[in-house]
Amino acid sequence: MDRALDLTAGLGRFVLAMLRGAGAVALFAAEAISHLVRPPFYGRLFLKAFVEIAWFSLPVVALTAVFTGMVLALQSYTGFARFNAEGAVANVVVLSITRELGPVLAGLMVAGRIGAAFAAEIGTMRVTDQIDALTTLSTNPMKYLVAPRLLAGTIALPLLVVVANTLGVMGGWIIGTQQLGFASGAYLKATFDFLQAWDVISGLIKAAVFGFIVTLMGCWCGYNSGGGAQGVGRATTAAVVSSSILILASDYLLTAVMFSR
Amino acid sequence: MSGDIPKIRLRGLSKSFGPKVVLDGVDLDIRAGHSMVILGGSGSGKSVTLKCILGLITPDAGLIEIDGRDVAAMTRREREAVNDRIGMLFQNGALFDSLPVWENVCFKLLAQRRITRRAARDKAAEVLAQVGLAASVGDLSPAELSGGMQKRVGLARAIAAEPDIIFFDEPTTGLDPIMGAVIDGLIVDCVKRLGATAVSITHDMASARRIGDDAAMIHKGRIVWRGAAATLGDTGNALVDQFARGEREGPIQMELRK
Ligand SMILES: Nc1ncnc2c1ncn2[C@@H]1O[C@H](COP(=O)(O)OP(=O)(O)O)[C@@H](O)[C@H]1O
Ligand SMILES: [Mg+2]
Protein backbone atom coordinates (compact mmCIF):
# COMPACT_ATOMS: atom_id res chain seq x y z
CA MET A 1 0.00 0.00 0.00
CA ASP A 2 2.74 2.42 1.05
CA ARG A 3 4.74 1.31 -1.95
CA ALA A 4 1.88 2.12 -4.29
CA LEU A 5 1.43 5.53 -2.68
CA ASP A 6 5.14 6.29 -2.99
CA LEU A 7 4.99 5.33 -6.61
CA THR A 8 2.01 7.55 -7.40
CA ALA A 9 3.54 10.40 -5.43
CA GLY A 10 6.75 10.02 -7.41
CA LEU A 11 4.84 9.93 -10.67
CA GLY A 12 2.87 13.00 -9.63
CA ARG A 13 6.04 14.87 -8.74
CA PHE A 14 7.52 13.90 -12.11
CA VAL A 15 4.48 15.13 -14.02
CA LEU A 16 4.41 18.36 -12.02
CA ALA A 17 8.09 18.94 -12.68
CA MET A 18 7.51 18.34 -16.37
CA LEU A 19 4.65 20.82 -16.44
CA ARG A 20 6.65 23.38 -14.51
CA GLY A 21 9.52 22.96 -16.95
CA ALA A 22 7.24 23.29 -19.96
CA GLY A 23 5.66 26.41 -18.48
CA ALA A 24 9.04 27.97 -17.80
CA VAL A 25 10.24 27.25 -21.34
CA ALA A 26 7.03 28.72 -22.75
CA LEU A 27 7.47 31.92 -20.72
CA PHE A 28 11.10 32.11 -21.83
CA ALA A 29 10.03 31.75 -25.47
CA ALA A 30 7.28 34.34 -25.07
CA GLU A 31 9.69 36.87 -23.59
CA ALA A 32 12.22 36.26 -26.38
CA ILE A 33 9.54 36.69 -29.03
CA SER A 34 8.32 39.90 -27.41
CA HIS A 35 11.82 41.31 -27.88
CA LEU A 36 11.61 40.66 -31.62
CA VAL A 37 9.01 43.38 -31.97
CA ARG A 38 10.56 45.96 -29.64
CA PRO A 39 13.69 47.90 -30.57
CA PRO A 40 16.64 47.92 -30.37
CA PHE A 41 17.17 45.11 -32.87
CA TYR A 42 20.46 43.32 -33.21
CA GLY A 43 20.69 42.76 -36.96
CA ARG A 44 24.37 41.96 -36.79
CA LEU A 45 23.78 39.16 -34.27
CA PHE A 46 20.87 37.83 -36.30
CA LEU A 47 23.08 37.62 -39.38
CA LYS A 48 25.85 35.93 -37.44
CA ALA A 49 23.48 33.31 -36.08
CA PHE A 50 21.86 32.90 -39.49
CA VAL A 51 25.19 32.24 -41.20
CA GLU A 52 26.17 29.85 -38.42
CA ILE A 53 22.97 27.86 -38.82
CA ALA A 54 22.29 28.02 -42.54
CA TRP A 55 25.72 28.19 -44.14
CA PHE A 56 27.82 26.07 -41.79
CA SER A 57 25.16 23.36 -41.51
CA LEU A 58 24.96 23.00 -45.27
CA PRO A 59 27.61 20.27 -45.65
CA VAL A 60 26.14 17.99 -42.97
CA VAL A 61 22.58 18.50 -44.12
CA ALA A 62 23.53 18.06 -47.78
CA LEU A 63 25.38 14.79 -47.15
CA THR A 64 22.57 13.46 -45.00
CA ALA A 65 20.02 14.31 -47.67
CA VAL A 66 21.91 12.76 -50.58
CA PHE A 67 22.51 9.48 -48.79
CA THR A 68 18.95 9.35 -47.51
CA GLY A 69 17.62 9.80 -51.04
CA MET A 70 19.91 7.05 -52.27
CA VAL A 71 18.91 4.63 -49.53
CA LEU A 72 15.24 5.38 -50.05
CA ALA A 73 15.50 4.57 -53.75
CA LEU A 74 17.28 1.27 -53.07
CA GLN A 75 14.99 0.23 -50.25
CA SER A 76 11.75 1.10 -51.95
CA TYR A 77 12.91 -0.59 -55.17
CA THR A 78 13.71 -3.90 -53.49
CA GLY A 79 10.59 -3.66 -51.36
CA PHE A 80 8.21 -2.72 -54.18
CA ALA A 81 9.66 -5.31 -56.55
CA ARG A 82 7.77 -7.86 -54.49
CA PHE A 83 4.51 -6.25 -55.64
CA ASN A 84 5.71 -5.43 -59.14
CA ALA A 85 5.39 -1.78 -58.15
CA GLU A 86 8.95 -0.63 -58.92
CA GLY A 87 7.49 2.28 -60.85
CA ALA A 88 6.52 3.98 -57.59
CA VAL A 89 10.13 4.48 -56.51
CA ALA A 90 10.38 8.09 -57.67
CA ASN A 91 7.13 8.93 -55.89
CA VAL A 92 8.10 7.31 -52.66
CA VAL A 93 11.44 9.09 -52.66
CA VAL A 94 10.08 12.56 -53.29
CA LEU A 95 7.14 12.28 -50.90
CA SER A 96 9.19 10.80 -48.06
CA ILE A 97 11.86 13.42 -48.48
CA THR A 98 9.69 16.51 -48.76
CA ARG A 99 7.10 15.58 -46.18
CA GLU A 100 9.17 13.82 -43.56
CA LEU A 101 12.81 13.04 -43.92
CA GLY A 102 14.03 16.37 -45.24
CA PRO A 103 12.72 18.43 -42.32
CA VAL A 104 13.24 15.78 -39.62
CA LEU A 105 16.78 14.84 -40.59
CA ALA A 106 17.82 18.44 -41.17
CA GLY A 107 16.24 19.29 -37.80
CA LEU A 108 18.14 16.52 -36.03
CA MET A 109 21.43 17.46 -37.68
CA VAL A 110 20.97 21.10 -36.73
CA ALA A 111 19.99 20.01 -33.20
CA GLY A 112 23.36 18.27 -32.92
CA ARG A 113 25.33 21.16 -34.31
CA ILE A 114 23.49 24.32 -33.33
CA GLY A 115 21.58 23.24 -30.23
CA ALA A 116 24.84 22.06 -28.71
CA ALA A 117 26.82 25.10 -29.84
CA PHE A 118 24.28 27.62 -28.56
CA ALA A 119 23.90 25.83 -25.23
CA ALA A 120 27.67 25.70 -24.77
CA GLU A 121 28.20 29.31 -25.75
CA ILE A 122 25.37 30.79 -23.70
CA GLY A 123 26.08 28.39 -20.82
CA THR A 124 29.69 29.53 -20.71
CA MET A 125 28.52 33.13 -20.72
CA ARG A 126 26.22 32.30 -17.79
CA VAL A 127 28.88 30.65 -15.64
CA THR A 128 31.48 33.33 -16.36
CA ASP A 129 29.04 36.14 -15.43
CA GLN A 130 28.95 37.48 -19.00
CA ILE A 131 25.13 37.40 -18.98
CA ASP A 132 25.09 39.45 -15.77
CA ALA A 133 27.66 41.74 -17.37
CA LEU A 134 25.27 42.40 -20.27
CA THR A 135 22.64 43.60 -17.82
CA THR A 136 25.09 46.00 -16.18
CA LEU A 137 26.02 47.29 -19.65
CA SER A 138 22.52 48.54 -20.50
CA THR A 139 21.73 45.48 -22.62
CA ASN A 140 18.89 43.02 -22.12
CA PRO A 141 20.40 39.53 -22.43
CA MET A 142 17.16 37.99 -23.72
CA LYS A 143 17.05 40.55 -26.49
CA TYR A 144 20.76 40.32 -27.22
CA LEU A 145 21.39 36.59 -26.95
CA VAL A 146 18.12 34.75 -27.40
CA ALA A 147 15.82 36.71 -29.73
CA PRO A 148 18.21 36.93 -32.73
CA ARG A 149 19.07 33.24 -32.49
CA LEU A 150 15.42 32.17 -32.36
CA LEU A 151 14.58 34.23 -35.41
CA ALA A 152 17.63 32.96 -37.30
CA GLY A 153 16.76 29.33 -36.55
CA THR A 154 13.16 29.72 -37.61
CA ILE A 155 14.14 31.24 -40.94
CA ALA A 156 17.29 29.23 -41.65
CA LEU A 157 15.94 25.72 -41.24
CA PRO A 158 13.29 25.96 -44.00
CA LEU A 159 15.99 27.22 -46.37
CA LEU A 160 18.22 24.30 -45.41
CA VAL A 161 15.31 21.98 -46.05
CA VAL A 162 14.82 23.36 -49.56
CA VAL A 163 18.41 22.33 -50.23
CA ALA A 164 17.92 19.00 -48.48
CA ASN A 165 14.81 18.27 -50.56
CA THR A 166 16.60 19.01 -53.80
CA LEU A 167 19.63 16.92 -52.93
CA GLY A 168 17.53 14.08 -51.51
CA VAL A 169 15.56 13.80 -54.75
CA MET A 170 18.84 13.99 -56.62
CA GLY A 171 20.24 11.11 -54.55
CA GLY A 172 17.22 9.02 -55.47
CA TRP A 173 17.56 9.99 -59.10
CA ILE A 174 21.26 9.00 -59.16
CA ILE A 175 20.49 5.51 -57.84
CA GLY A 176 17.36 5.24 -59.97
CA THR A 177 19.14 6.02 -63.21
CA GLN A 178 22.61 4.61 -62.52
CA GLN A 179 21.72 1.43 -60.71
CA LEU A 180 18.06 0.60 -61.04
CA GLY A 181 17.76 1.20 -64.75
CA PHE A 182 15.17 4.01 -64.84
CA ALA A 183 15.32 6.43 -67.73
CA SER A 184 16.28 9.88 -66.45
CA GLY A 185 13.34 11.70 -68.04
CA ALA A 186 10.78 9.17 -66.89
CA TYR A 187 12.14 9.21 -63.32
CA LEU A 188 11.96 12.99 -63.12
CA LYS A 189 8.49 13.06 -64.67
CA ALA A 190 7.28 10.53 -62.10
CA THR A 191 8.88 12.64 -59.39
CA PHE A 192 7.15 15.88 -60.27
CA ASP A 193 3.84 14.61 -61.67
CA PHE A 194 2.54 13.47 -58.32
CA LEU A 195 4.19 16.08 -56.16
CA GLN A 196 1.79 18.68 -54.78
CA ALA A 197 2.69 22.08 -53.44
CA TRP A 198 1.32 21.13 -50.03
CA ASP A 199 3.81 18.25 -49.73
CA VAL A 200 6.63 20.75 -49.91
CA ILE A 201 4.96 23.53 -47.94
CA SER A 202 3.98 21.25 -45.07
CA GLY A 203 7.61 20.15 -44.87
CA LEU A 204 8.81 23.74 -44.76
CA ILE A 205 6.33 24.60 -42.01
CA LYS A 206 7.68 21.66 -40.04
CA ALA A 207 11.19 22.91 -40.68
CA ALA A 208 10.37 26.35 -39.30
CA VAL A 209 8.92 24.78 -36.15
CA PHE A 210 11.97 22.52 -35.75
CA GLY A 211 14.32 25.46 -36.24
CA PHE A 212 12.48 27.32 -33.50
CA ILE A 213 12.61 24.30 -31.19
CA VAL A 214 16.33 23.68 -31.68
CA THR A 215 17.38 27.27 -31.08
CA LEU A 216 14.91 27.66 -28.20
CA MET A 217 16.19 24.58 -26.36
CA GLY A 218 19.81 25.51 -27.06
CA CYS A 219 19.29 28.99 -25.63
CA TRP A 220 17.12 27.82 -22.73
CA CYS A 221 19.52 25.11 -21.58
CA GLY A 222 22.50 27.45 -21.86
CA TYR A 223 20.72 30.34 -20.18
CA ASN A 224 19.84 28.18 -17.17
CA SER A 225 23.13 26.35 -17.07
CA GLY A 226 24.42 25.30 -13.65
CA GLY A 227 27.84 26.06 -12.26
CA GLY A 228 31.17 25.29 -13.83
CA ALA A 229 32.33 23.24 -16.78
CA GLN A 230 30.15 20.33 -15.67
CA GLY A 231 27.05 22.52 -15.70
CA VAL A 232 27.79 23.66 -19.24
CA GLY A 233 28.37 20.05 -20.32
CA ARG A 234 25.04 19.03 -18.87
CA ALA A 235 23.32 21.98 -20.55
CA THR A 236 24.78 20.96 -23.91
CA THR A 237 23.61 17.37 -23.57
CA ALA A 238 20.18 18.47 -22.39
CA ALA A 239 19.83 20.83 -25.36
CA VAL A 240 20.56 18.11 -27.91
CA VAL A 241 18.45 15.43 -26.25
CA SER A 242 15.45 17.64 -25.52
CA SER A 243 15.38 19.27 -28.93
CA SER A 244 15.70 15.89 -30.69
CA ILE A 245 12.81 14.44 -28.73
CA LEU A 246 10.72 17.56 -29.20
CA ILE A 247 11.39 17.47 -32.95
CA LEU A 248 10.08 13.92 -33.23
CA ALA A 249 7.11 14.56 -30.95
CA SER A 250 6.09 17.77 -32.69
CA ASP A 251 6.62 16.05 -36.04
CA TYR A 252 3.93 13.60 -35.08
CA LEU A 253 1.58 16.35 -33.93
CA LEU A 254 2.16 18.50 -37.00
CA THR A 255 1.66 15.54 -39.33
CA ALA A 256 -1.54 14.60 -37.55
CA VAL A 257 -2.83 18.15 -37.88
CA MET A 258 -1.70 18.89 -41.42
CA PHE A 259 -2.70 15.59 -43.00
CA SER A 260 -5.87 14.93 -41.04
CA ARG A 261 -8.19 15.14 -44.04
CA MET B 1 22.27 67.13 0.56
CA SER B 2 24.46 64.30 -0.52
CA GLY B 3 25.88 64.49 2.97
CA ASP B 4 22.62 63.29 4.47
CA ILE B 5 21.30 60.75 2.00
CA PRO B 6 23.68 57.87 1.45
CA LYS B 7 24.27 56.98 -2.19
CA ILE B 8 23.36 53.39 -1.40
CA ARG B 9 21.48 52.23 1.65
CA LEU B 10 20.92 48.61 2.60
CA ARG B 11 18.57 47.59 5.39
CA GLY B 12 17.92 44.04 6.48
CA LEU B 13 19.09 42.60 3.17
CA SER B 14 18.56 38.83 3.25
CA LYS B 15 19.11 36.10 0.71
CA SER B 16 19.14 32.33 0.95
CA PHE B 17 19.85 29.76 -1.74
CA GLY B 18 17.73 26.79 -0.75
CA PRO B 19 18.56 25.99 2.87
CA LYS B 20 21.78 27.99 2.72
CA VAL B 21 21.48 31.43 4.31
CA VAL B 22 23.97 33.74 2.60
CA LEU B 23 22.81 37.20 3.65
CA ASP B 24 21.02 37.51 6.98
CA GLY B 25 20.06 41.14 7.40
CA VAL B 26 22.82 43.28 5.95
CA ASP B 27 22.65 46.95 7.00
CA LEU B 28 25.04 49.30 5.28
CA ASP B 29 25.26 52.95 4.21
CA ILE B 30 27.58 53.95 1.43
CA ARG B 31 28.40 57.65 1.37
CA ALA B 32 28.17 59.50 -1.92
CA GLY B 33 31.53 60.27 -3.46
CA HIS B 34 33.38 57.97 -1.10
CA SER B 35 35.06 54.67 -1.56
CA MET B 36 33.75 51.78 0.52
CA VAL B 37 35.60 48.53 0.91
CA ILE B 38 33.71 45.39 1.88
CA LEU B 39 35.79 42.67 3.50
CA GLY B 40 34.87 39.10 4.20
CA GLY B 41 35.94 35.52 3.78
CA SER B 42 35.38 33.55 0.62
CA GLY B 43 31.75 32.59 0.20
CA SER B 44 30.56 35.10 2.80
CA GLY B 45 28.15 36.71 0.34
CA LYS B 46 30.12 39.73 -0.85
CA SER B 47 29.41 39.15 -4.54
CA VAL B 48 25.79 38.30 -3.77
CA THR B 49 25.45 41.67 -2.02
CA LEU B 50 26.66 43.53 -5.11
CA LYS B 51 24.43 41.45 -7.38
CA CYS B 52 21.44 42.30 -5.19
CA ILE B 53 22.20 46.02 -5.50
CA LEU B 54 22.49 45.64 -9.28
CA GLY B 55 19.20 43.76 -9.45
CA LEU B 56 20.86 40.63 -10.83
CA ILE B 57 19.67 38.67 -7.80
CA THR B 58 16.35 39.38 -6.11
CA PRO B 59 16.77 39.47 -2.32
CA ASP B 60 14.34 37.53 -0.14
CA ALA B 61 13.84 40.49 2.14
CA GLY B 62 15.22 43.91 2.91
CA LEU B 63 15.48 47.38 1.48
CA ILE B 64 17.86 48.69 -1.16
CA GLU B 65 17.87 52.43 -1.75
CA ILE B 66 19.93 54.19 -4.36
CA ASP B 67 19.94 57.99 -4.07
CA GLY B 68 17.21 57.63 -1.49
CA ARG B 69 14.89 55.69 -3.80
CA ASP B 70 13.71 52.16 -3.12
CA VAL B 71 14.76 50.09 -6.12
CA ALA B 72 12.07 47.47 -5.48
CA ALA B 73 9.40 50.13 -6.10
CA MET B 74 10.88 51.21 -9.41
CA THR B 75 9.44 50.35 -12.81
CA ARG B 76 11.60 48.29 -15.07
CA ARG B 77 12.54 51.36 -17.05
CA GLU B 78 13.51 53.37 -13.96
CA ARG B 79 15.56 50.46 -12.74
CA GLU B 80 17.36 50.31 -16.08
CA ALA B 81 18.00 54.04 -15.90
CA VAL B 82 19.64 53.55 -12.50
CA ASN B 83 21.77 50.70 -13.82
CA ASP B 84 22.81 52.88 -16.74
CA ARG B 85 24.68 54.98 -14.18
CA ILE B 86 26.45 52.04 -12.51
CA GLY B 87 29.67 50.41 -13.68
CA MET B 88 30.79 46.98 -12.58
CA LEU B 89 34.10 45.14 -12.69
CA PHE B 90 33.29 41.46 -12.28
CA GLN B 91 35.34 39.12 -10.15
CA ASN B 92 36.63 37.14 -13.13
CA GLY B 93 36.41 39.97 -15.64
CA ALA B 94 33.38 38.61 -17.52
CA LEU B 95 34.72 40.10 -20.75
CA PHE B 96 32.78 39.07 -23.84
CA ASP B 97 35.11 36.66 -25.57
CA SER B 98 33.22 36.85 -28.85
CA LEU B 99 34.07 40.55 -29.19
CA PRO B 100 37.39 42.36 -29.60
CA VAL B 101 38.66 44.44 -26.68
CA TRP B 102 37.61 47.78 -28.17
CA GLU B 103 34.01 46.62 -28.49
CA ASN B 104 34.08 45.31 -24.93
CA VAL B 105 35.32 48.67 -23.67
CA CYS B 106 32.71 50.70 -25.54
CA PHE B 107 29.91 48.17 -25.14
CA LYS B 108 27.77 50.33 -22.87
CA LEU B 109 28.26 53.49 -24.90
CA LEU B 110 27.28 51.58 -28.04
CA ALA B 111 24.29 50.00 -26.30
CA GLN B 112 23.11 53.43 -25.14
CA ARG B 113 23.75 54.84 -28.63
CA ARG B 114 25.94 57.56 -27.20
CA ILE B 115 28.60 56.79 -29.78
CA THR B 116 28.87 55.38 -33.31
CA ARG B 117 30.81 52.22 -34.08
CA ARG B 118 33.26 54.30 -36.04
CA ALA B 119 33.95 56.63 -33.12
CA ALA B 120 34.07 53.73 -30.66
CA ARG B 121 37.54 52.60 -31.68
CA ASP B 122 39.04 55.99 -30.87
CA LYS B 123 37.08 56.21 -27.66
CA ALA B 124 38.28 52.73 -26.70
CA ALA B 125 41.89 53.76 -27.32
CA GLU B 126 41.37 56.78 -25.07
CA VAL B 127 39.89 54.74 -22.21
CA LEU B 128 42.51 52.01 -22.61
CA ALA B 129 45.19 54.68 -22.24
CA GLN B 130 43.62 55.68 -18.91
CA VAL B 131 44.23 52.17 -17.62
CA GLY B 132 47.72 52.07 -19.04
CA LEU B 133 47.10 49.94 -22.12
CA ALA B 134 48.21 50.67 -25.68
CA ALA B 135 45.62 51.37 -28.35
CA SER B 136 46.73 48.24 -30.21
CA VAL B 137 45.29 46.11 -27.39
CA GLY B 138 41.89 47.17 -28.66
CA ASP B 139 42.12 44.82 -31.62
CA LEU B 140 42.98 41.76 -29.55
CA SER B 141 40.46 39.24 -28.33
CA PRO B 142 40.04 38.94 -24.53
CA ALA B 143 41.38 35.37 -24.67
CA GLU B 144 44.75 36.72 -25.83
CA LEU B 145 45.23 38.85 -22.72
CA SER B 146 47.05 38.04 -19.49
CA GLY B 147 45.14 38.15 -16.18
CA GLY B 148 46.39 41.63 -15.33
CA MET B 149 45.49 42.96 -18.75
CA GLN B 150 42.02 41.41 -18.50
CA LYS B 151 41.48 43.22 -15.20
CA ARG B 152 42.53 46.48 -16.83
CA VAL B 153 40.19 45.93 -19.76
CA GLY B 154 37.41 45.08 -17.31
CA LEU B 155 38.21 48.29 -15.47
CA ALA B 156 38.19 50.25 -18.74
CA ARG B 157 34.79 48.75 -19.60
CA ALA B 158 33.43 49.66 -16.16
CA ILE B 159 34.50 53.31 -16.39
CA ALA B 160 34.01 53.99 -20.12
CA ALA B 161 30.44 55.22 -19.71
CA GLU B 162 31.53 57.48 -16.81
CA PRO B 163 29.26 56.01 -14.14
CA ASP B 164 28.23 57.63 -10.83
CA ILE B 165 28.66 54.38 -8.95
CA ILE B 166 31.32 51.75 -9.60
CA PHE B 167 31.53 48.27 -8.13
CA PHE B 168 34.82 46.40 -8.07
CA ASP B 169 34.54 42.72 -7.21
CA GLU B 170 37.94 41.47 -6.04
CA PRO B 171 39.91 43.63 -8.46
CA THR B 172 43.32 42.35 -7.34
CA THR B 173 42.63 38.69 -6.57
CA GLY B 174 44.86 36.41 -8.60
CA LEU B 175 47.36 39.10 -9.51
CA ASP B 176 50.95 39.44 -8.35
CA PRO B 177 51.43 42.08 -5.61
CA ILE B 178 52.93 44.66 -7.94
CA MET B 179 50.17 44.32 -10.52
CA GLY B 180 47.70 44.43 -7.64
CA ALA B 181 49.12 47.75 -6.48
CA VAL B 182 49.01 49.06 -10.04
CA ILE B 183 45.34 48.14 -10.40
CA ASP B 184 44.58 49.71 -7.02
CA GLY B 185 46.27 52.90 -8.20
CA LEU B 186 44.20 52.90 -11.39
CA ILE B 187 41.02 52.38 -9.41
CA VAL B 188 41.80 55.29 -7.10
CA ASP B 189 42.62 57.54 -10.07
CA CYS B 190 39.53 56.61 -12.03
CA VAL B 191 37.18 57.00 -9.09
CA LYS B 192 38.68 60.36 -8.23
CA ARG B 193 38.52 61.61 -11.81
CA LEU B 194 34.86 60.59 -12.19
CA GLY B 195 33.92 61.78 -8.72
CA ALA B 196 32.11 58.48 -8.39
CA THR B 197 30.95 56.48 -5.43
CA ALA B 198 32.91 53.24 -5.31
CA VAL B 199 32.25 49.93 -3.62
CA SER B 200 35.09 47.43 -3.69
CA ILE B 201 35.19 43.88 -2.49
CA THR B 202 38.49 42.49 -1.37
CA HIS B 203 40.17 40.24 1.12
CA ASP B 204 43.52 41.87 0.58
CA MET B 205 44.26 44.27 3.48
CA ALA B 206 46.92 46.29 1.70
CA SER B 207 44.53 46.77 -1.18
CA ALA B 208 41.68 47.70 1.19
CA ARG B 209 43.76 50.42 2.83
CA ARG B 210 44.87 51.76 -0.54
CA ILE B 211 41.46 52.08 -2.16
CA GLY B 212 39.08 52.55 0.75
CA ASP B 213 37.86 55.57 2.68
CA ASP B 214 35.40 53.46 4.63
CA ALA B 215 35.42 49.76 5.28
CA ALA B 216 32.93 47.17 6.46
CA MET B 217 33.30 43.53 7.26
CA ILE B 218 30.71 40.90 6.45
CA HIS B 219 30.60 37.68 8.43
CA LYS B 220 27.89 35.05 8.66
CA GLY B 221 25.55 37.12 6.53
CA ARG B 222 25.78 40.32 8.55
CA ILE B 223 27.92 43.43 8.72
CA VAL B 224 29.91 42.89 11.90
CA TRP B 225 32.07 45.99 11.76
CA ARG B 226 32.37 49.28 9.93
CA GLY B 227 34.87 52.06 10.24
CA ALA B 228 37.64 53.94 8.51
CA ALA B 229 39.72 51.87 6.11
CA ALA B 230 42.88 53.42 7.53
CA THR B 231 42.31 51.74 10.88
CA LEU B 232 42.23 48.23 9.44
CA GLY B 233 44.54 45.87 11.26
CA ASP B 234 44.09 47.73 14.51
CA THR B 235 40.36 48.15 14.90
CA GLY B 236 39.86 46.59 18.30
CA ASN B 237 37.28 44.25 16.73
CA ALA B 238 38.48 40.71 17.24
CA LEU B 239 36.88 39.43 14.01
CA VAL B 240 38.34 42.13 11.81
CA ASP B 241 41.75 42.02 13.41
CA GLN B 242 41.98 38.26 13.00
CA PHE B 243 40.93 38.60 9.36
CA ALA B 244 43.34 41.47 8.75
CA ARG B 245 46.28 39.60 10.21
CA GLY B 246 45.29 36.31 8.60
CA GLU B 247 45.49 34.38 11.87
CA ARG B 248 44.27 30.85 12.18
CA GLU B 249 43.21 31.20 15.83
CA GLY B 250 40.43 33.59 16.74
CA PRO B 251 36.70 34.09 16.69
CA ILE B 252 36.46 33.13 13.01
CA GLN B 253 36.66 29.37 12.88
CA MET B 254 37.00 27.81 9.48
CA GLU B 255 34.17 25.35 9.28
CA LEU B 256 36.16 22.56 7.77
CA ARG B 257 34.20 19.66 9.08
CA LYS B 258 30.73 20.75 8.08
N1 LIG C 1 23.22 31.81 -8.04
C1 LIG C 1 23.54 31.12 -6.94
N2 LIG C 1 22.90 29.96 -6.65
C2 LIG C 1 23.19 29.26 -5.55
N3 LIG C 1 24.13 29.62 -4.65
C3 LIG C 1 24.81 30.75 -4.86
C4 LIG C 1 24.55 31.57 -6.02
N4 LIG C 1 25.37 32.64 -5.97
C5 LIG C 1 26.10 32.50 -4.84
N5 LIG C 1 25.78 31.38 -4.18
C6 LIG C 1 26.33 30.93 -2.90
O1 LIG C 1 26.35 32.02 -2.01
C7 LIG C 1 27.52 32.02 -1.24
C8 LIG C 1 28.17 33.38 -1.31
O2 LIG C 1 28.66 33.59 -2.61
P1 LIG C 1 29.48 34.88 -3.01
O3 LIG C 1 28.71 36.10 -2.68
O4 LIG C 1 29.87 34.70 -4.43
O5 LIG C 1 30.77 34.79 -2.09
P2 LIG C 1 31.97 35.82 -2.00
O6 LIG C 1 31.79 36.50 -0.70
O7 LIG C 1 33.20 34.97 -2.02
O8 LIG C 1 31.86 36.73 -3.17
C9 LIG C 1 28.39 30.91 -1.78
O9 LIG C 1 28.35 29.85 -0.87
C10 LIG C 1 27.77 30.52 -3.07
O10 LIG C 1 27.88 29.13 -3.26
MG1 LIG D 1 32.84 36.86 -4.87
Side-chain angles (χ1 to χ4, degrees), chain B residues 46-48 91 169-170 201:
Chain B
K46 305 181 300 292
S47 298
V48 169
Q91 188 164 346
D169 194 348
E170 303 198 10
I201 288 177

Side-chain angles (χ1 to χ4, degrees), chain B residues 76-237:
Chain B
R76 187 162 161 171
R77 187 150 297 164
E78 287 170 331
R79 173 80 246 214
E80 283 171 0
V82 168
N83 272 5
D84 284 349
R85 307 298 311 141
I86 305 180
M88 167 92 182
L89 171 61
F90 281 85
Q91 188 164 346
N92 50 24
L95 298 175
F96 303 126
D97 35 35
S98 59
L99 300 177
V101 166
W102 70 267
E103 232 179 306
N104 266 285
V105 171
C106 290
F107 197 94
K108 192 162 190 164
L109 291 169
L110 288 165
Q112 296 176 353
R113 293 173 194 274
R114 282 157 62 184
I115 193 172
T116 63
R117 284 182 73 80
R118 189 184 295 269
R121 280 172 175 272
D122 292 338
K123 175 71 184 176
E126 185 190 318
V127 184
L128 285 172
Q130 288 170 15
V131 297
L133 290 175
S136 59
V137 174
D139 292 317
L140 299 178
S141 132
E144 297 173 84
L145 305 178
S146 68
M149 282 164 96
Q150 287 189 2
K151 290 278 188 195
R152 289 182 194 220
V153 172
L155 180 60
R157 185 173 74 176
I159 62 168
E162 301 181 351
D164 296 339
I165 303 174
I166 318 183
F167 295 149
F168 302 101
D169 194 348
E170 303 198 10
T172 56
T173 303
L175 301 180
D176 66 72
I178 297 174
M179 183 55 77
V182 169
I183 297 281
D184 286 341
L186 289 171
I187 288 177
V188 171
D189 290 348
C190 292
V191 171
K192 199 172 290 171
R193 180 156 25 81
L194 296 172
T197 306
V199 184
S200 314
I201 288 177
T202 187
H203 32 62
D204 174 350
M205 285 306 129
S207 176
R209 277 188 291 260
R210 278 195 293 260
I211 47 185
D213 302 320
D214 306 326
M217 167 130 173
I218 189 166
H219 181 63
K220 295 208 166 146
R222 288 168 170 274
I223 300 291
V224 290
W225 174 84
R226 76 206 81 180
T231 65
L232 280 169
D234 185 25
T235 61
N237 179 307

Side-chain angles (χ1 to χ4, degrees), chain A residues 22 24-33 53 114-115 118-119 122 142 146-147 149-151 153-154 209-224 239 242-243 246:
Chain A
V25 174
L27 282 180
F28 182 82
E31 190 185 344
I33 292 170
I53 302 170
I114 297 300
F118 284 3
I122 296 179
M142 289 292 286
V146 182
R149 285 178 165 84
L150 281 188
L151 185 66
T154 311
V209 174
F210 299 163
F212 182 79
I213 287 175
V214 168
T215 42
L216 176 66
M217 294 319 292
C219 292
W220 162 260
C221 293
Y223 209 84
N224 294 287
S242 62
S243 51
L246 284 173

Side-chain angles (χ1 to χ4, degrees), chain B residues 15-18 20-23 40-51 57 91 169-170 201 203 218:
Chain B
K15 179 70 189 176
S16 305
F17 293 103
K20 181 170 183 163
V21 180
V22 177
L23 301 181
S42 301
S44 57
K46 305 181 300 292
S47 298
V48 169
T49 305
L50 287 193
K51 287 183 178 179
I57 292 178
Q91 188 164 346
D169 194 348
E170 303 198 10
I201 288 177
H203 32 62
I218 189 166

